[in-house]
Each structure stands twice: as structure tokens, then as C-alpha cells.
Amino acid sequence: MPTRELPEKSEITIIGGGIVGVTIAHELAKRGEEVTVIEKRFIGSGSTFRCGTGIRQQFNDEANVQVMKRSVELWKKYSEEYGFPFQQTGYLFLLYDDEEVETFKRNIAIQNKFGVPTRLITPEEAKEIVPLLDISEVVAASWNPTDGKASPFHSTAKFALHAEEFGAKLVEYTEVKDFIIENGEIKGLKTSRGTIKTGIVVNATNAWAKLINAMAGIRTKIPIEPYKHQAVITQPIKKGSVKPMVISFRYGHAYLTQTSHGGIIGGVGYEEGPTYDLNPTYEFLREVSYYFTKIIPALRELLILRTWAGYYAKTPDSNPAIGKIEELSDYYIAAGFSGHGFMMAPAVAEMVADLITKGKTDLPAWWYDPYRFERGELRGKALQMG
Amino acid sequence: MRPLDLTEKDPSKKITIYLDGEPYEAYEGEKFPVAMLANGVYWLTTSNEGRHRGAFTFGPVPVTVNGVKNINGRKLKLKDGMKIERQRYDEFQEQVEIDEGKPVLRYVVDVAVIGAGPAGLGVVEEIGGKLTVALIEEKGWLGGDMWLKGVEQEGFGNPREAIERLTNFPENVRVFLKTAALGVYDKGEYFLVPAVRNDQLIEFMAKKVVLATGAVDNIMLFENNDWPGVFRRADALEVMNVWGVAPGRKVAVTGAFPEEITAELERWGIEYIIVPNVKRVEGEDRIERVIDENGNVYEVDALIMADGRIPDINPITQAGGKLRFKRGYYMPILDDEHRIRDGIYVAGSAVSIKPHYANYLEGKLVGAYILREFGYESEPCIYEERLKEYEPVARPVPKLPLDNFNGEDVQICGCGVTLKKVDDVVRSGITDLQIIKRLTHLAMGFCQGRFCLFNGALLVSQRSGMGMDRLDIPVARPPIKNVKMKVVAGRD
């Protein structure tokens, strides 16, 4: 793991060493740019450390479907090149009534339009995929076998390692304290370990994004707030018992799957905030157990080993803010991922690197326009899990 | 009598049980591992890596009972004709009964005391009769570690008689045996302590909480330290003094505090040998020999680790307490009234390692502080003074002979994490235990680090040269004891 000294200067500085900051650095370094990541703890230590593993293309709007299609291509490419596990074990949305089915038919049509091969399947087909499911109330399911899961910490570590090989500098245990700005231009950053001269800054701090925006003196309204979401893990059971990510909106907006170690991991929609508190609650323990055992009755007899909490950095429409902030040159933001940032990271990295190096991107970055909040142009709410 | 029985058992309770089809003599209500031990059978389960395991050191003991998989063998009480099969850790019951579960029980009390060892009993003796108390004990007996002792205890005399004296409770003390507290949650007006007894959820609502949660035996690192026949000190004491069964015909004792076990072995007339520097144990389905660092070989049936106890830090960190490293172990940072924070007190060997009587005095002290909080006259200073006579035990920080071991054979964690796996990560330059946890799975299993985090910290300290006091110890997350999902899944 990298723990470099703070360099004196860097063309581009990324604040935040989570999956998003690291993949952006990786992409920029690969393109030959001089880039430094400044992380206040260790690489992957924030929400990435606490994340639920899922990677899906089943969104309900054209932009997110396209971005995630690209992201999955990149997950596949880099997992093979760098040797970290990305398993395409699919995402299975359980549907319980006609209204849900109609909504998902619309979503599937959008997904199919961009080549994401989602299908509406029968309850019996769903049970073939996950034999432990209780399908007595399920009327259909939305199934895409090309969605998947990866270990957030291991994949971040691999991207970090290769970013370094391309020349990126990753500085851990260093906290950004202030911006040095002259005539509306960034000249450098003050940190807990000295000053770095830099002209281009990317705010990739997600849950802490508003603090960095405030430090930079940004006046544009970019509402990103930290919410406490929690997760649970059970004792490990036979591998392959729950291959895909299983989603049930009916039962508490639950998501659950099996980790590579064998435990059943997941969460529900139970949300508290805005808050920076991360203490797991008893209410979550009760809720998650109630809902999970409805979806998979065999979980009743499994031991819960641990619960924990992390942040969803939420925006009003559950879509991130990605783009250039014009009032300060050159300041970019890639934050507010609202619970699905891990899966988006490789494509977001490409988008941000395009914007910095070419000023434009083929991916639909306009959807994540940081100015949309101020303009009152909220997007359709991105499908948020948990 | 069975081969390892030390005492005659009640013949009217004699039953037959089957392990993998073989019949064995047992006694109604006996715990499964104890009955098997009495019959000379140590191997009870198999890890996912195929390692044979017993029930007297770390790691879970799932077994299949009358066709139902993944039953906790450690707590299994035997009934006549029971058919038990060994299984691997990851086997589980796919077909389960779906019911509404048992209704939640709720109790409102002034004080919830978690742990009924000498410290917990001291608290209750001090406050019982004045305040309403829930005394919550995971084990099936009162008296904690002292109940396991047969020899006289300083300050108390005969340990069992002392416990019987201390457990004449007044009416406003409710005792909950075999009840595992899942954690302490701050609800503002009160503390919520959810607990589980016999698959039923109990919610205690208490104004004050006392963590009299005790210490745990340190697990020692040597090759095949997870093998059937390796005993933690407390488990060896329990089989002898609670169940009347010997750990083996001839046993080896190792660790920095062998005297904690040898007096008991002598009392029962069990042949033993002290082996200070164990390098490796070997055998088929149980230990047959112990090999020390000088290559000496000792033929024995069992090995008892008596390396001293360390405070169980999990209940403390989950409840919001901070730690410091002192006298060779991590202990809670307390204010001048033995609190980790407002309303949560700690007493006994959860604070520091000292004789049972000192832990009892510390319980009395905490009880006196609590009485004062509730507006009663009390004199904590009396206990403060008496407690000063007992300097807590300093535990030498062990030096791991890391380079003498075959690290692949040394288990640092009961869930299949080898010393080599952790050592490789540490040697690559990673010293943050949070990252080590994530990369190796250390402290992420059934015991949540209770038996492995200390050794993990030791390894980091030794390899990196960083002092133990400088390491950032990950905090425990609820539930602090494993709970079946169905227990907490019920809706009111």
C-alpha cells in the first residue's frame, strides 16, 4: 500500500482516495498526466471500505444505463488485467405485483435499447438461479446475467497499485486543510503535511464533498449530504449458495448476496441522517433480519456475525454531481454517488479524465451536471438500492 | 465409568448417543463435547480448509443433529438416541421451519449487570435490595471463572461456597442465565441491552449498565494450535470441575502461568508435564505428542494453554469505550468512577487482571458509585482503599518466535486464517489492523477478534517495531455475540 511523501507540486490533485478518486487517478496516470491523490486516512478507507460489493446496469434512465454498460466493460477488462475478482453473477430483482412488473418492463426496454441483456423471467426461473428463494409471493423477476459483484477493498487496492505504476502518487494519512487561490485560480492546497502546488483539483470525497467545496469557496449549490446506511454479514456458508445480487423492493428495499468468503452480505433501505455518525443501530439489526428471512427463509438459522455502517452521499435525485465548476479554474467534482458509486467508478474515471484532458466526453456526463440543482432540473431519481 | 470420567455420574441419566453412527455412552443433559471427551473422542468438526477441530479452543463447532445441519455443538445438550454427525463449517440447513418466533420479552430495570462472575456478583450484593437489577449471564452458572476453580481462593476460601453465599439474591434482582447480551445501545433516556436466551429475544431497558464481562484466555501460537486436544485454560477447568471429566490421561501444560492449572490437575490426580516452549503438536484425530523448540517430544493426550487472561475488549469498544495498553494488555480507559462513559461502568477482569476477590471488591466499588448516583448513602472509598491492596497482574508481552514456525500450520484465528497469511501482509508493510482485517479476514469471524486480535496486534508490533500502545485496535460491532437471524427477525 502506498504511503508516499507529499510531492512539492502536481499538475492534477485528487482529493479523496476511495474507489472514485483512485480510479480517476489511475485513468489520468495511464494517459500520461501528472496526478496525485491526497487521502486523509488510507486508500479505500471511507465508504469504499464499507460498501456492499454490487455492480449493476439495471437503471431506469438512458444515461445511467449507458454509463454502467461502459463501467461493466471496464470492470471486466481490469479485473482480468489486474487479477482481482469481478464475478458476473447477475442481479435479480424480485417483483411482487403488476405495478412493479410494469415499471420494470419500462426499465428493461431502456436497458435493452443500449444492449444490456436484461429479461423479465418467471418466479420458477428465479428459483433456478437462487434455489434458496421463497417465491410464493413473487410474480416475476428482472434478470441481467451480466451484472455482478467485486470486492471493493481488493479492487481499489489493485487500481491503486497500477495507478502508481503509471506514475500517480498516492499520499495517505494526509488531510487537505485549505485551498490556495489567487484571482480565481487554484495555486495549491494546504494539507496536514505541508503544501502542494497544483492547478487542477478534483473533489472526489463523496460524503465529505460539501466540506471541500466550502474550503474552495464554491458558491454553486451542490446539495450532497451524508446518510447512514448499514449492512450485515452472516456466518460463511457453502460457496455458490446465493450467486447474484438479489433485490426486493417489497421487502424493505433489501439487497443481499454472498461474498467470496461465503458470508451473506447486504442491507435494507433503513436510512438515518444527514449525519456523520456511523454507529450500527439495533433497529437496523431487527429490520434487516425481518426482511432477509422473508426473501430467503434458510437465513433464519444462520448466525449474524456483525453489522456496520457507512455513508450514502446523497443528492436530491440520487445522481452524482460530476463535472467542472466554472467559478474556480480548474475545479472538478465527482461526488454524491447516493449508494451506487462503487459500481460507477471505472466509467466515472473515464468521464472525468476526458473532461480534464479533452474538455468533453462521449459518455453522457450532462446527466450529472453539477449545476442542475441550482437550475431546478432534477433528474428522474436514479434507482437506489438499500 | 467412561475412559476419561473423573467422577461417577448419575446412572439413572445414562443414555446412548451416536456420532457418525458409532454409539457412545452419555448422560442426559450433558454437553456434547464433554460426553465425547469422556469417551476419548476429541475431533468433532472440520474447518473449510479440511482441518480437524475440537471444541476446547477457538473456532465454531457446527454439527448435524438428527439430520439438521449447522447446530452449535458446543452448547448442544444430549438426549437419548441423538444422532450426531460431523460436518464442515460451511454446511447449513436449507429447509427450515418458518414460524412467527417467540415474542420479545421486555424488562425495565435500574441497572443491567452483564456478567455474573465475582465482579458482577459484587455489584449486585452492593445494590440489590435498593435498586432493581437484571443480572445477565451467558453461561449456565453464576460465579464466572471462579465457579470453574476447585482450589481455595484468596479472600474467599472455598470458591463454590463463596459463590453460594453471594447468590442469595433479594427479590428485586432478576437473574438471566444462558442469556447472551448482544450489545449496549444508547437510547438517550435509557440504555437498551438486547439479549438472547434459548432463541428468544429479551430487551432490557436500564438507566445504568455495568460491564462485568470478564477476561478471555489468550490463544497461544504454535503449529497445529487448533488441533483437537488443545484446551484453553477455562475449558480444561470446566471439563474437570463442572463436568468431572479429564482433559486427557496425560496432559502437557504450556504458557506463562502454568500454576493456574497445575494445582487443579494435582487435585484430580491427572498426570501432567510442563512444556514451556511449544513449537508444534501432532496426532491423528487428537494430539498425540507435543514438540518443543528444542526438539524434545512429549507423548500426551492433550495440551492446556495457561498463558494468562486478557480483558475481553469487545463489549467495551462496542459500548463506546476507548482502550489503552498497560501491563501487557488492552484495558478500558475509565473515569474516576469506573465509567467508560456516562452511565456505563466496568468492573472486574474486564478492567484488569487480578485475583477473584479484587474483582469482587471492584464490583462492590462500582455498586457503591451507582448507589450514590441514585441518591443513596454509600461509601465507595472503603472499597477504593481495599482495592489498592491488589496490584493488577502484569502480563509479559509474549515474543513470537515467528521465524521458527512453519506459519502455514499456525492458526492465528479460528476461522482458517493462518499466521503466514497475516505475517505476509504485515511484512509487505501494512501495519493498520483495519486493512489487515480486510485483507486476511482476521477478526472477522465468529469470535469477532476476541481470540485473535491481540495476537494480530502482537505480530504487527513485533514486525514493525511500533509499540502496542500505538496500534489502532478495531472496535467491536454489534452483535457482540453471534445471534441467529430468526431471533431478531420477529415483529411485535
Side-chain angles (χ1 to χ4, degrees):
Chain A
M1 278 302 199
T3 46
R4 250 176 229 293
E5 288 304 305
L6 190 72
E8 227 171 84
K9 63 171 197 56
S10 178
E11 290 288 322
I12 307 168
T13 305
I14 296 163
I15 309 174
I19 182 73
V20 172
V22 166
T23 49
I24 293 171
H26 169 265
E27 186 64 33
L28 285 166
K30 205 176 163 191
R31 294 180 189 193
E33 302 294 329
E34 188 193 23
V35 59
T36 300
V37 174
I38 299 183
E39 163 57 46
K40 71 174 172 184
R41 282 190 74 204
F42 54 86
I43 295 298
S45 59
S47 303
T48 303
F49 204 64
R50 297 152 180 278
C51 155
T53 77
I55 294 167
R56 76 183 141 96
Q57 301 152 88
Q58 296 187 59
F59 277 80
N60 53 348
D61 60 84
E62 299 198 352
N64 277 305
V65 170
Q66 289 175 77
V67 168
M68 279 314 302
K69 180 153 194 302
R70 176 62 185 150
S71 203
V72 164
E73 285 167 15
L74 292 169
W75 276 113
K76 217 173 147 181
K77 168 183 155 72
Y78 287 120
S79 72
E80 283 163 12
E81 275 181 31
Y82 296 167
F84 61 80
F86 164 57
Q87 299 160 291
Q88 284 183 295
T89 42
Y91 254 68
L92 185 67
F93 288 75
L94 303 175
L95 310 175
Y96 300 82
D97 59 41
D98 291 348
E99 204 187 321
E100 267 194 304
V101 172
E102 285 313 307
T103 306
F104 273 80
K105 276 183 179 167
R106 281 195 298 276
N107 295 350
I108 290 170
I110 298 169
Q111 291 156 23
N112 291 168
K113 181 179 163 190
F114 293 98
V116 174
T118 313
R119 290 188 294 130
L120 198 69
I121 61 171
T122 65
E124 292 70 29
E125 286 175 294
K127 198 167 170 68
E128 269 176 45
I129 297 164
V130 184
L132 293 173
L133 284 182
D134 176 359
I135 54 163
S136 58
E137 296 174 23
V138 174
V139 297
S142 177
W143 167 244
N144 170 25
T146 65
D147 291 340
K149 57 193 176 187
S151 157
F153 192 66
H154 286 88
S155 46
T156 307
K158 288 286 187 184
F159 276 115
L161 191 72
H162 288 273
E164 280 206 304
E165 276 178 17
F166 291 122
K169 295 191 172 67
L170 308 181
V171 186
E172 296 183 305
Y173 300 101
T174 303
E175 191 172 354
V176 171
K177 298 286 192 186
D178 207 357
F179 280 63
I180 302 164
I181 297 168
E182 286 169 20
N183 306 323
E185 279 185 21
I186 298 172
K187 296 293 178 190
L189 293 169
K190 287 182 187 165
T191 81
S192 56
R193 284 167 67 195
T195 299
I196 177 168
K197 285 182 198 158
T198 191
I200 303 170
V201 169
V202 182
N203 175 359
T205 59
N206 213 30
W208 295 272
K210 68 176 175 186
L211 305 179
I212 299 299
N213 283 349
M215 240 180 246
I218 302 299
R219 290 172 182 277
T220 310
K221 192 178 85 188
I222 306 171
I224 297 173
E225 294 292 344
Y227 284 81
K228 175 157 84 175
H229 276 251
Q230 301 180 54
V232 67
I233 192 149
T234 70
Q235 69 182 102
I237 56 172
K238 264 193 185 144
K239 302 224 169 123
S241 293
V242 182
K243 286 177 185 155
M245 186 71 83
V246 178
I247 310 286
S248 169
F249 287 118
R250 161 72 61 92
Y251 286 119
H253 285 239
Y255 66 94
L256 64 90
T257 190
Q258 188 174 22
T259 69
S260 55
H261 195 76
I264 303 295
I265 190 175
V268 292
Y270 189 85
E271 178 175 275
E272 290 175 65
T275 178
Y276 279 111
D277 170 61
L278 285 180
N279 285 315
T281 65
Y282 180 62
E283 289 68 25
F284 169 76
L285 182 70
R286 299 291 307 273
E287 290 260 328
V288 76
S289 303
Y290 172 76
Y291 290 126
F292 276 24
T293 53
K294 289 278 183 196
I295 299 163
I296 296 183
L299 294 175
R300 292 175 61 80
E301 299 293 335
L302 292 191
L303 295 171
I304 297 172
L305 299 188
R306 203 165 59 251
T307 60
W308 69 94
Y311 303 122
Y312 278 23
K314 284 185 61 169
T315 64
D317 59 14
S318 297
N319 282 293
I322 303 171
K324 191 166 191 236
I325 307 294
E326 302 293 347
E327 62 186 280
L328 178 65
S329 72
D330 285 295
Y331 185 71
Y332 295 82
I333 186 166
F337 288 91
S338 306
H340 43 266
F342 170 66
M343 59 182 78
M344 293 180 84
V348 169
E350 209 166 69
M351 251 188 281
V352 174
D354 282 347
L355 292 175
I356 292 173
T357 59
K358 300 185 228 162
K360 63 181 178 57
T361 173
D362 293 338
L363 286 164
W366 63 272
W367 182 260
Y368 312 107
D369 180 1
Y371 289 94
R372 71 182 187 276
F373 308 105
E374 208 157 73
R375 292 198 195 110
E377 292 168 10
L378 293 192
R379 309 304 183 206
K381 236 178 164 49
L383 216 53
Q384 180 194 303
M385 239 57 73
Chain B
M1 298 223 303
R2 297 167 298 188
L4 290 180
D5 270 326
L6 292 167
T7 56
E8 200 78 56
K9 308 293 185 294
D10 180 355
S12 71
K13 294 194 169 169
K14 195 161 158 180
I15 56 172
T16 303
I17 57 132
Y18 301 85
L19 177 62
D20 291 340
E22 285 288 314
Y24 292 97
E25 180 185 324
Y27 292 87
E28 179 89 39
E30 209 172 24
K31 282 203 292 190
F32 166 62
V34 173
M36 297 320 301
L37 175 66
N39 283 287
V41 177
Y42 292 78
W43 167 40
L44 302 180
T45 186
T46 305
S47 82
N48 288 343
E49 294 72 32
R51 295 187 69 90
H52 288 183
R53 294 271 175 85
F56 303 114
T57 181
F58 56 13
V61 184
V63 289
T64 301
V65 180
N66 297 332
V68 179
K69 290 176 177 161
N70 190 30
I71 304 281
N72 182 352
R74 225 179 230 124
K75 290 186 177 169
L76 178 65
K77 293 263 176 157
L78 297 174
K79 293 193 181 104
D80 193 29
M82 220 174 225
K83 290 183 174 58
I84 302 162
E85 291 160 82
R86 293 186 178 97
Q87 64 162 80
R88 268 167 54 120
Y89 279 10
D90 62 356
E91 292 181 55
F92 69 106
Q93 188 61 18
E94 297 193 15
Q95 296 299 321
V96 299
E97 200 180 308
I98 301 175
D99 56 29
E100 288 301 305
K102 298 174 182 174
V104 182
L105 291 178
R106 292 197 173 84
Y107 297 95
V108 178
V109 291
D110 292 323
V111 183
V113 178
I114 307 175
L121 296 178
V123 177
V124 175
E125 187 181 60
E126 193 68 14
I127 65 176
K130 296 195 175 82
L131 303 173
T132 57
V133 182
L135 179 59
I136 305 161
E137 171 56 55
E138 191 184 9
K139 294 280 193 330
W141 63 80
L142 297 166
D145 199 63
M146 190 160 84
W147 183 252
L148 304 176
K149 307 279 175 77
V151 297
E152 298 233 321
Q153 298 298 313
E154 186 209 331
F156 278 129
N158 178 299
R160 295 215 166 188
E161 285 169 14
I163 290 161
E164 271 153 30
R165 279 198 305 278
L166 284 171
T167 49
N168 276 323
F169 299 120
E171 238 175 37
N172 58 358
V173 175
R174 293 185 91 117
V175 179
F176 297 83
L177 285 175
K178 297 181 185 173
T179 306
L182 302 179
V184 180
Y185 295 92
D186 185 354
K187 306 304 283 182
E189 293 291 298
Y190 62 92
F191 293 102
L192 175 68
V193 180
V196 184
R197 180 180 60 190
N198 189 21
D199 285 350
Q200 183 169 32
L201 187 60
I202 309 177
E203 291 179 352
F204 296 97
M205 285 159 266
K207 294 190 187 85
K208 310 280 178 200
V209 174
V210 181
L211 301 176
T213 37
V216 292
D217 281 305
N218 186 44
I219 297 284
M220 297 175 68
L221 300 183
F222 50 84
E223 291 170 17
N224 298 331
N225 57 337
D226 59 332
W227 215 242
V230 175
F231 284 75
R232 289 179 297 208
R233 178 206 59 100
D235 291 275
L237 288 174
E238 184 184 337
V239 298
M240 290 189 289
N241 292 335
V242 177
W243 301 98
V245 176
R249 277 187 204 85
K250 185 177 177 189
V251 305
V253 179
T254 188
F257 300 90
E259 66 281 3
E260 289 189 353
I261 194 84
T262 52
E264 302 281 354
L265 292 169
E266 278 165 21
R267 203 168 72 87
W268 288 108
I270 297 167
E271 193 185 340
Y272 68 87
I273 182 161
I274 295 176
V275 183
N277 304 311
V278 174
K279 178 178 188 290
R280 182 179 177 83
V281 298
E282 288 179 350
E284 279 297 311
D285 291 337
R286 63 167 173 83
I287 289 179
E288 290 164 32
R289 62 199 151 277
V290 171
I291 301 160
D292 72 10
E293 282 173 16
N294 304 320
N296 300 312
V297 180
Y298 307 89
E299 304 283 335
V300 292
D301 308 316
L303 173 71
I304 303 173
M305 302 181 289
D307 200 36
R309 302 201 301 157
I310 52 178
D312 179 1
I313 58 176
N314 283 12
I316 290 159
T317 59
Q318 188 278 326
K322 301 272 182 257
L323 303 174
R324 64 172 170 164
F325 189 79
K326 199 177 171 189
R327 300 189 186 93
Y329 44 84
Y330 294 98
M331 57 198 298
I333 295 174
L334 302 177
D335 68 9
D336 54 11
E337 293 196 0
H338 266 65
R339 289 176 295 209
I340 50 171
R341 46 173 293 193
D342 203 27
I344 304 181
Y345 297 76
V346 192
S349 53
V351 173
S352 58
I353 305 304
K354 50 196 181 302
H356 293 308
Y357 195 72
N359 290 325
Y360 159 75
L361 287 175
E362 196 168 30
K364 301 277 280 181
L365 171 65
V366 161
Y369 288 138
I370 291 173
L371 278 184
R372 209 163 60 180
E373 284 278 305
F374 278 91
Y376 288 91
E377 293 275 318
S378 78
E379 294 185 82
C381 52
I382 296 175
Y383 303 119
E384 269 167 22
E385 284 307 312
R386 289 173 66 191
L387 197 53
K388 278 183 190 155
E389 293 164 25
Y390 296 89
E391 178 65 16
V393 176
R395 197 172 165 276
V397 178
K399 177 135 175 44
L400 304 171
L402 292 169
D403 300 314
N404 299 344
F405 287 142
N406 175 1
E408 278 178 343
D409 286 347
V410 181
Q411 304 293 309
I412 190 165
C413 164
C415 300
V417 184
T418 64
L419 179 66
K420 181 178 189 308
K421 192 171 182 183
V422 180
D423 199 21
D424 283 351
V425 170
V426 176
R427 283 198 292 176
S428 79
I430 295 170
T431 55
D432 191 314
L433 281 158
Q434 293 283 7
I435 307 177
I436 294 167
K437 260 179 80 171
R438 218 40 78 102
L439 293 178
T440 66
H441 241 75
L442 179 83
M444 289 179 91
F446 293 81
C447 79
Q448 228 190 74
R450 199 169 268 114
F451 296 113
C452 60
L453 204 49
F454 185 86
N455 283 328
L458 197 59
L459 174 59
V460 170
S461 173
Q462 207 167 307
R463 283 284 187 217
S464 69
M466 281 164 76
M468 295 286 277
D469 55 332
R470 284 180 54 214
L471 302 179
D472 182 18
I473 301 297
V475 305
R477 298 299 186 193
I480 56 172
K481 292 287 160 87
N482 303 157
V483 58
K484 278 184 191 168
M485 212 171 245
K486 71 174 179 188
V487 173
V488 282
R491 286 219 150 164
D492 293 321

